[in-house]
Amino acid sequence: MLRRVAPVVLTLVVVVVGIFALAAGPRTPPPRPSADFVVLVGVAGLRWDDVDPQRTPTLWQMAREGSIGSLSVRSARRPTCPLDGWLTLGAGSFAGWSGGQPGGECPPTEVTVERPDRIGANLPEQESVVVHNQDRLPWGTVPGALSESVRCSVAVGPGAAVAAARPFGRVDRYEPTLPADPAGLLGSCVLSIVDLGTVAGADPAERATAASEADAQLARVLAARPSNSLVIVAGVADTERPSRLHVAVADGPGWDNGWLTSPTTGRRGYLQLIDLAPTALTALGRPMPDRPFLGRPAESVGGRPDDLAAAITEPADADREAAAQREVAGGFFTLLAGVQVALAVAVLPLLRRARRHAGPYGPKPVSRRVVATVELLLVAAALAMPAALLAEAVPWWRNTYPAATFAGLTAALLAAATLLVRLAPGYRSTLGPLGAVAGLTTLAVGLDVITGARLQLNGVVGYSALEGGRYAGLGTVGLGVFVAAALLTAGWLAQQVRRGWRPMVMVLIGGAAVVVVGSPYLGADSIGAIALTAGVSVAAAISAGGWLTMTRLAWAGMAGLAVTVGFAVVDLGRPPGERGSLGRFLAALGDGTGGLTVQRSSASSFQTLVNSPLTVLALVGALLLWFALLQPWGGLMRLFGIYPAIRAAMAGTAVAVGIGGVLGAVALDVAGAAAAVVVPMAALSALRVLDHAADRTRPGTDRPQDAGPSDARTSDPGPGDAGPDEAGPDEAGPADGDSADTGTDTAGTTGTASGGRSGAATTGGAVPSNEPGPERGRALRSSAEVATG
């Protein structure tokens, strides 16, 4: 009876943990400051390295008194050209100007502005731009939504006209250039948008001149600003490839001496271009449009250094780090994929010849040194991503040669981590390397997430602020690595205890991992937490034995669904500005825009599938598993029979990364990151198991005289293990009513799946593995591979 209700109990426990992790949302922020007027000032291309007290004294003083941050100018196109940036500013959502980008570069900023009455203006191209964004782009953006939300708006300059034009093309008040005294113009409407030109090019002198001219005009704007006004200066666009982080400064009542942030980033000092429109409306106390902005209102938070030069160093350094990350990341993942492919090819002949024959005939075994070298390479391959993550603790991007510096740091950390695993006390046991690698990886990623995920932001194996997808918490690669490592750690620990305690160990470790992944204060990945919940339920259900039946898979699916429903209820109860991705999606379904979200997710999945190097890692790992490791000669099925907790961990990982990839619209990225850890460890453990497949004595006893030096290697069995490939007394027999614990071993001989081997260990002497009849049966029953009870 207990075995029948165990899956139900475990599912309920995991569900409670999952909902608790996701429901503990941040407290409602305090009321945001209000203003009577808002002035949005844009300078396309303006970066923090263009700002200093000599060239831009006005902006420097404004930054000293106000709040500052790094602005991600992501729009509907890459790069975000000036017209795209201005259009996104006025739409509050990702938008793109109709027309192409010849050669991938930004075209000249040319827009037709007609002034029939010398008061306002018309943009004849606006109608086609609206159709382009509504029908051809997946975000359903409404250009001009910001101006539509206020009664009157002012635009100065052609870029500002693009941002301020209503959907039908009308600009309420327009001036092509800033008047000598703009006080009357800026005070005529509650919202003013001002275009101060462009800072472009790679020549420092040219950039300095353009920045100085924009700063001089900014001085006139600040001198004429209305009372009780909020002024925001933003580098609204890129001017060339590649994209960069740009300037964002807010000055007004309640925006003093702080860092800018927003709910779309969840990171102090970062906000997005799409956040500026909702920030303006919130400051003015105006309601949001019927079709919600993708952006969220920005706010000012404390913690900024008093020294402005030291404060500005942070966003400028973040821009350099993000630029270096983009240059290095592609090469790193390509190299990692190549190494994984090479190791997969190298492992194949070793698997074929890993089983040592007891008789005088048989293929000559591979040199022990070769096997040991390949094993160390497998350990290093599994530790590559954690080593690359830890390399972010050193500012390698500041070096003259950032790629070489990162490579050297990662190689040094990788060598140190591999040596640490090699010198670990249990390295010679079958599961020793797996446990050490999984534990180190879980510790590295988990500590980074708990301490604010600083190593993932703009990290090579993390996420880039330039992409505009994530700025805080656990990224896609980090999710795959952490899920795999945490479940393998849980499986290794569960294998050290008696069978009855293994599901509890799985739930405890897996539940803690769900909290780390899903808590808004930590990983902030609700999709990842839902996927991991299903994976933990699968792992807990089969950790004590048995196979992944449809019943157990159904319970895991119900667990994930229960967490999804529970969190959805909690998330929908929050204010619209505080909802997570799941709550926003359900709200979109309610207002009829959910199809756009599905279309956007599908397009994102396809692009990721065909462009990501992680797809190669996932496919190579799947091919190695299916065509080698899971074959009768591959050893993995033998490993699963002897160590059911490891089988449970790997099955749970497969379920979690599959669900995470589908729901997160990241294709095989999560699976590829997980495969980089799981597949090398599966291959190494399979080699270890096959190496002991023909052992004729129990671990710790005398070996046959013809055994080589390598045969003397033994493992340190834990409470639930009898040895390196021996099953403990609790392993035999069906579990949870399943008969799946019996099966065929890798030599084709029938025995217990948790201990059946081609060479039966006896207490009185060796019995040939092919001995037929009752003698073989008696020999098997007298060995440690069969339960004594």
Side-chain angles (χ1 to χ4, degrees):
M1 179 63 182
L2 181 60
R3 290 182 178 180
R4 294 183 180 276
V5 301
V8 181
V9 174
L10 292 174
T11 300
L12 292 176
V13 171
V14 176
V15 167
V16 171
V17 171
I19 294 178
F20 170 78
L22 295 173
R27 293 176 299 177
T28 302
R32 297 180 177 90
S34 60
D36 295 331
F37 298 88
V38 171
V39 181
L40 297 176
V41 179
V43 185
L46 183 65
R47 304 195 301 260
W48 279 112
D49 52 13
D50 298 318
V51 179
D52 65 32
Q54 289 75 37
R55 294 194 301 262
T56 57
T58 304
L59 186 57
W60 184 270
Q61 182 63 29
M62 182 181 175
R64 184 190 302 278
E65 298 174 356
S67 296
I68 64 174
S70 296
L71 181 69
S72 171
V73 296
R74 177 189 173 189
S75 68
R77 298 197 298 186
R78 308 287 177 86
T80 296
C81 295
L83 289 179
D84 303 319
W86 284 110
L87 195 67
T88 298
L89 169 64
S93 301
F94 301 128
W97 190 261
S98 56
Q101 296 178 348
E105 301 298 330
C106 293
T109 306
E110 297 179 356
V111 59
T112 302
V113 181
E114 299 175 348
R115 300 190 64 194
D117 54 10
R118 298 295 176 180
I119 298 176
N122 291 326
L123 267 64
E125 299 172 82
Q126 184 75 350
E127 183 178 354
S128 63
V129 170
V130 171
V131 172
H132 174 73
N133 281 269
Q134 290 283 297
D135 297 342
R136 299 182 182 179
L137 298 182
W139 290 277
T141 301
V142 180
L146 174 59
S147 295
E148 280 287 276
S149 301
V150 295
R151 182 170 297 179
C152 174
S153 61
V154 170
V156 178
V162 172
R166 297 177 183 270
F168 51 88
R170 175 66 178 176
V171 180
D172 298 332
R173 295 181 182 272
Y174 177 74
E175 290 292 338
T177 58
L178 192 68
D181 182 10
L185 181 65
L186 298 180
S188 62
C189 295
V190 295
L191 174 66
S192 298
I193 305 176
V194 182
D195 178 4
L196 295 187
T198 300
V199 178
D203 181 20
E206 183 181 347
R207 295 188 65 88
T209 300
S212 297
E213 293 175 356
D215 188 77
Q217 295 187 73
L218 176 62
R220 293 159 56 195
V221 172
L222 294 180
R225 65 187 291 183
S227 60
N228 194 31
S229 60
L230 168 63
V231 178
I232 299 176
V233 177
V236 295
D238 297 310
T239 54
E240 58 190 358
R241 286 186 181 272
S243 297
R244 301 290 294 270
L245 293 173
H246 296 273
V247 166
V249 182
D251 180 40
W255 299 84
D256 304 328
N257 193 30
W259 291 109
L260 292 173
T261 186
S262 83
T264 65
T265 65
R267 173 81 68 172
R268 185 196 69 176
Y270 288 85
L271 73 161
Q272 297 191 70
L273 181 61
I274 57 176
D275 297 326
L276 299 186
T279 301
L281 292 185
T282 300
L284 292 171
R286 301 301 174 93
M288 297 296 166
D290 293 336
R291 176 166 289 183
F293 293 133
L294 290 180
R296 307 286 187 85
E299 57 184 304
S300 176
V301 296
R304 200 184 89 180
D306 294 331
D307 182 10
L308 180 60
I312 287 180
T313 298
E314 290 192 30
D317 192 56
D319 180 37
R320 287 193 294 270
E321 182 182 5
Q325 183 259 11
R326 179 182 47 243
E327 296 177 0
V328 173
F332 171 79
F333 284 110
T334 301
L335 178 62
L336 180 60
V339 170
Q340 294 266 9
V341 172
L343 283 176
V345 174
V347 162
L348 291 177
L350 298 186
L351 291 171
R352 283 287 190 181
R353 303 174 67 179
R355 186 192 297 272
R356 290 179 288 112
H357 288 253
Y361 303 104
K364 183 180 178 180
V366 179
S367 168
R368 178 57 59 187
R369 291 184 179 179
V370 173
V371 175
T373 300
V374 172
E375 288 182 349
L376 283 178
L377 290 176
L378 289 171
V379 170
L383 289 171
M385 286 197 185
L389 179 69
L390 294 178
E392 299 296 332
V394 179
W396 54 269
W397 55 90
R398 299 175 189 169
N399 194 279
T400 306
Y401 304 100
T405 305
F406 172 79
L409 280 172
T410 304
L413 289 170
L414 186 57
T418 303
L419 181 62
L420 182 62
V421 173
R422 175 63 183 82
L423 298 178
Y427 178 77
R428 292 190 177 276
S429 64
T430 302
L431 297 183
L434 183 148
V437 168
L440 286 176
T441 303
T442 304
L443 189 64
V445 180
L447 285 179
D448 177 47
V449 173
I450 291 173
T451 55
R454 172 61 188 87
L455 301 182
Q456 296 204 47
L457 176 65
N458 295 325
V460 172
V461 295
Y463 40 80
S464 173
L466 298 176
E467 298 298 323
R470 177 172 284 272
Y471 299 83
L474 197 61
T476 299
V477 176
L479 175 64
V481 172
F482 184 73
V483 165
L487 286 175
L488 286 180
T489 301
W492 182 84
L493 289 174
Q495 195 61 47
Q496 311 307 310
V497 302
R498 294 292 180 184
R499 184 170 68 174
W501 289 96
R502 289 174 185 169
M504 186 58 65
V505 173
M506 281 288 185
V507 169
L508 289 176
I509 304 299
V514 170
V515 173
V516 171
V517 171
S519 172
Y521 301 103
L522 300 174
D525 189 348
S526 57
I527 299 299
I530 291 168
L532 183 55
T533 298
V536 171
S537 299
V538 167
I542 64 176
S543 59
W547 297 103
L548 181 57
T549 63
M550 290 302 299
T551 301
R552 288 169 172 171
L553 187 59
W555 277 112
M558 291 174 62
L561 181 61
V563 171
T564 304
V565 173
F567 176 60
V569 172
V570 174
D571 206 20
L572 285 174
R574 294 171 178 164
E578 299 176 20
R579 290 173 183 164
S581 57
L582 181 61
R584 293 197 300 271
F585 173 68
L586 294 177
L589 289 179
D591 62 22
T593 60
L596 295 172
T597 304
V598 174
Q599 179 186 357
R600 185 167 65 245
S601 298
S602 301
S604 174
S605 294
F606 178 77
Q607 292 294 329
T608 303
L609 180 67
V610 298
N611 295 325
S612 175
L614 291 173
T615 300
V616 178
L617 287 174
L619 295 178
V620 169
L623 291 174
L624 181 63
L625 286 172
W626 185 256
F627 291 105
L629 295 178
L630 289 175
Q631 296 303 309
W633 51 270
L636 194 58
M637 294 301 293
R638 186 181 194 86
L639 179 77
F640 286 169
I642 299 169
Y643 303 109
I646 301 301
R647 177 186 62 187
M650 292 187 181
T653 300
V655 171
V657 299
I659 295 176
V662 172
L663 296 183
V666 291
L668 296 179
D669 273 11
V670 181
V677 176
V678 174
V679 175
M681 289 298 95
L684 191 155
S685 301
L687 285 173
R688 292 285 178 88
V689 167
L690 291 175
D691 186 48
H692 291 279
D695 287 355
R696 300 224 177 168
T697 58
R698 298 177 63 180
T701 62
D702 293 335
R703 298 285 177 176
Q705 293 182 358
D706 60 346
S710 63
D711 293 349
R713 184 179 67 187
T714 61
S715 66
D716 300 323
D721 302 318
D725 88 2
E726 317 261 28
D730 60 329
E731 295 302 324
D736 298 335
D738 295 318
S739 60
D741 279 347
T742 60
T744 304
D745 65 12
T746 55
T749 331
T750 303
T752 59
S754 58
R757 303 185 307 168
S758 60
T762 69
T763 58
V767 177
S769 60
N770 59 353
E771 182 174 349
E775 289 80 2
R776 169 171 166 77
R778 286 194 296 270
L780 284 173
R781 292 184 179 277
S782 63
S783 70
E785 297 171 78
V786 182
T788 57

